[in-house]
Amino acid sequence: MDLVNQMRTRLLAVLGRLDWLPPLVGRLAVGLLFVSTGWGKVQDIGKVTQYFEHLGIPAPAFNAVLVGYSELICGGLLVVGLFTRLATVPLIASMIVAILTARRSELHGVFDLVGFEEFTYLTVLVMIAILGPGKIALDRALSRALGWEAASRAP
């Protein structure tokens, strides 16, 4: 049993040194996804506007532009880790609207919801909003430069 405990202790120590990795991977995964989808929307606003009209979204032309540029810009901010928590807000709203409009007819219960890609993105975005961007992010460098990091650790 002592060997198992030693192996457990070593494994936990190694994993503890990798605590920077999950926020980075999460930010990159959803950030790059939104940069890609945002770019696609911005390149064909007319098609997105027509789709939003079909879904019954009010002011479809305005919302097509808003969603396209929000995904593009906020996705880019997630990738570099700048204004990370703030950048998640429009993307979270976009995923909620997508579930309630584009996916609504397919939503019959919780198991349908958790099977939606949009719900997975929403979950990762909420985690990033709560946990922050992690150690490998421009937010961290900016906080250090402004002297905010030391203040946030004060009792």
Side-chain angles (χ1 to χ4, degrees), residues 22 85 88 92 120-133:
R85 286 183 163 126
T88 64
I92 287 170
T120 302
Y121 307 146
L122 177 62
T123 302
V124 175
L125 289 166
V126 168
M127 289 174 57
I128 293 167
I130 293 169
L131 299 175

Side-chain angles (χ1 to χ4, degrees), residues 2-145:
D2 194 39
L3 178 62
V4 171
N5 195 29
Q6 287 176 356
M7 289 175 57
R8 177 186 170 274
T9 301
R10 286 183 184 162
L11 180 61
L12 289 175
V14 168
L15 292 174
R17 288 191 295 273
L18 295 175
D19 64 346
W20 57 271
L21 190 56
L24 176 63
V25 170
R27 278 192 2 253
L28 289 175
V30 296
L32 290 169
L33 170 94
F34 281 113
V35 166
S36 174
T37 60
W39 180 254
K41 286 178 175 75
V42 166
Q43 295 303 304
D44 199 350
I45 291 292
K47 182 178 176 182
V48 178
T49 299
Q50 287 178 345
Y51 182 60
F52 283 8
E53 284 174 356
H54 171 75
L55 293 174
I57 293 175
F62 170 78
N63 281 305
V65 171
L66 180 67
V67 168
Y69 280 101
S70 292
E71 288 183 7
L72 181 61
I73 294 166
C74 293
L77 290 171
L78 288 179
V79 169
V80 298
L82 184 62
F83 308 122
T84 306
R85 286 183 163 126
L86 183 62
T88 64
V89 174
L91 300 175
I92 287 170
S94 181
M95 290 301 93
I96 291 170
V97 171
I99 291 168
L100 295 175
T101 58
R103 303 299 299 268
R104 186 176 183 172
S105 65
E106 302 167 49
L107 182 58
H108 305 291
V110 71
F111 292 110
D112 293 329
L113 178 63
V114 298
F116 293 164
E117 293 172 351
E118 296 85 353
F119 184 77
T120 302
Y121 307 146
L122 177 62
T123 302
V124 175
L125 289 166
V126 168
M127 289 174 57
I128 293 167
I130 293 169
L131 299 175
K135 293 177 183 177
I136 311 296
L138 288 180
D139 281 339
R140 186 172 172 107
L142 182 62
S143 292
R144 281 185 179 165

